[in-house]
Amino acid sequence: MTRNHCLFALAGLILLLLVPFVFTDSYTRHVFIVAFIYATVAANWDLSLGIGGLFNFGHLAFFGIGVYTAAMLTSHLDLSPWLAILAGGATAAGAGLLISLPVARLKGIYVVLVTFAFGQLCMQIVLSQGDLTGGAEGLVRLPYLKLGDYNFIRDFKFAYYYVALGLLTLSVIALLFIARSPFGLSLRAVRDNPEYAQSRGISVARQRVLVMVVSAVFTGIAGGLYAIYFRVASPEVFGFSLGTLILSMVLIGGAGSILGPVFAALALTFLTEAMAGVRGLEEARFIIVAVAMILVLRLVPSGAIDIFSRLTRAGRNS
């Protein structure tokens, strides 16, 4: 990440901190909250896919596991929603360890198939265990977040906005630290040339296991927050539409950049919400996003963040 990227990200964070004081309506804040949650998932997916080079197509399963962990713990055990959200990260990390063990020594299309099958398996378990998960109808009326007597749904979701933004900020800082650490450098080595990395003493299988577990933690926490915020857990969180949307955020933003998927998540969430209000585009909006992803991969394979880098370089040269 360049110095310009850091300055741009810092400026973006300052603007986002001021947004609730400018937009005081509940709907605009709601779209931002959803965008922050999606951005957290996309950035963590980028760690394993873009930096680790692991064709993990089951990442959304970690999100769904976080959703159902929080939902079941609050519904069946009356656990505090705060603890339930954090538990979502723990169970997702455990699932990441479980699925990474067979994936660690696989290559190419086999990784895609196994991780995709893992996501489908999670959805089938949710559907078949109706007593615990609510089956196809899901679990509803989950408790709100509270701090003392203050309910976070009050004040037009003011507090929820900062909880979601805080989660995204903490996650991005952790991911950037990981990407610049020796562990992150070893992940890039495994991605670019696994045989050479192995010859230099890097265990390819171990690094793949670690990156799956690490990328699952904040994804599961984001899933827990999603469940508590919407007060519902449904099998749709494992669905193909949501998976395609978040994968589009990673690829359009720029795989391997961490910040690119974050900016793309914010842009695509608002874009899809805007199209949802246009007659005839309610369902077609996902097709439009898929077409945009194809065009970006064809014209700018390194993602939209590369366009920003080119513009800043051109500005300096001029």
Side-chain angles (χ1 to χ4, degrees):
M1 190 176 66
T2 66
R3 182 172 175 270
N4 285 330
H5 289 159
C6 288
L7 293 175
F8 189 67
L10 183 60
L13 176 60
I14 293 172
L15 288 176
L16 290 174
L17 287 170
L18 298 175
V19 162
F21 298 98
V22 178
F23 297 98
T24 57
D25 63 291
S26 181
Y27 174 72
T28 304
R29 291 177 181 176
H30 164 75
V31 179
F32 270 107
I33 292 167
V34 174
F36 294 155
I37 293 175
Y38 287 170
T40 303
V41 180
N44 280 274
W45 198 342
D46 190 31
L47 180 67
S48 63
L49 181 64
I51 294 180
L54 194 62
F55 295 116
N56 167 26
F57 276 65
H59 189 79
L60 202 64
F62 302 145
F63 178 72
I65 288 170
V67 168
Y68 272 93
T69 298
M72 289 191 291
L73 288 177
T74 53
S75 295
H76 302 311
L77 299 179
D78 291 328
L79 189 69
S80 162
W82 292 101
L83 296 178
I85 290 172
L86 296 177
T91 55
L97 176 62
L98 181 66
I99 187 58
S100 64
L101 294 178
V103 163
R105 299 187 184 281
L106 296 177
K107 295 181 180 179
I109 188 64
Y110 298 104
V111 177
V112 176
L113 294 174
V114 171
T115 53
F116 181 77
F118 174 70
Q120 296 302 302
L121 174 64
C122 290
M123 185 168 68
Q124 293 304 318
I125 291 174
V126 165
L127 291 172
S128 63
Q129 302 300 314
D131 291 341
L132 291 174
T133 64
E137 297 180 357
L139 297 171
V140 297
R141 296 183 180 179
L142 305 179
Y144 293 115
L145 277 182
K146 288 184 177 179
L147 199 59
D149 293 331
Y150 183 75
N151 190 327
F152 277 38
I153 201 67
R154 290 169 52 186
D155 300 326
F156 303 101
K157 304 176 180 177
F158 182 84
Y160 268 124
Y161 178 94
Y162 285 107
V163 170
L165 178 59
L167 175 62
L168 173 61
T169 304
L170 186 62
S171 175
V172 168
I173 291 174
L175 290 170
L176 292 176
F177 176 77
I178 291 171
R180 296 170 66 91
S181 70
F183 173 61
L185 296 177
S186 71
L187 289 178
R188 287 190 172 89
V190 170
R191 175 195 64 188
D192 296 338
N193 194 329
E195 290 76 17
Y196 181 74
Q198 189 84 43
S199 70
R200 301 296 294 177
I202 299 173
S203 171
V204 174
R206 183 190 62 203
Q207 301 308 83
R208 286 178 173 173
V209 170
L210 288 175
V211 75
M212 288 282 279
V213 173
V214 171
S215 67
V217 174
F218 277 105
T219 304
I221 294 175
L225 178 59
Y226 180 93
I228 297 300
Y229 172 65
F230 280 98
R231 301 185 67 201
V232 65
S234 71
E236 292 177 0
V237 295
F238 296 100
F240 191 71
S241 296
L242 183 58
T244 302
L245 177 62
I246 295 181
L247 181 60
S248 301
M249 295 169 181
V250 178
L251 299 179
I252 290 176
S257 62
I258 302 296
L259 289 179
V262 173
F263 296 133
L266 294 173
L268 288 179
T269 303
F270 275 90
L271 180 63
T272 54
E273 282 292 322
M275 288 191 290
V278 179
R279 179 176 296 179
L281 290 181
E282 297 91 341
E283 298 299 329
R285 54 185 170 152
F286 296 110
I287 299 175
I288 294 173
V289 171
V291 172
M293 180 176 64
I294 294 171
L295 289 175
V296 169
L297 289 176
R298 177 66 181 85
L299 301 175
V300 193
S302 51
I305 198 168
D306 188 53
I307 299 175
F308 171 74
S309 299
R310 293 180 187 179
L311 291 175
T312 53
R313 281 197 300 269
R316 283 200 306 269
N317 295 333
S318 63

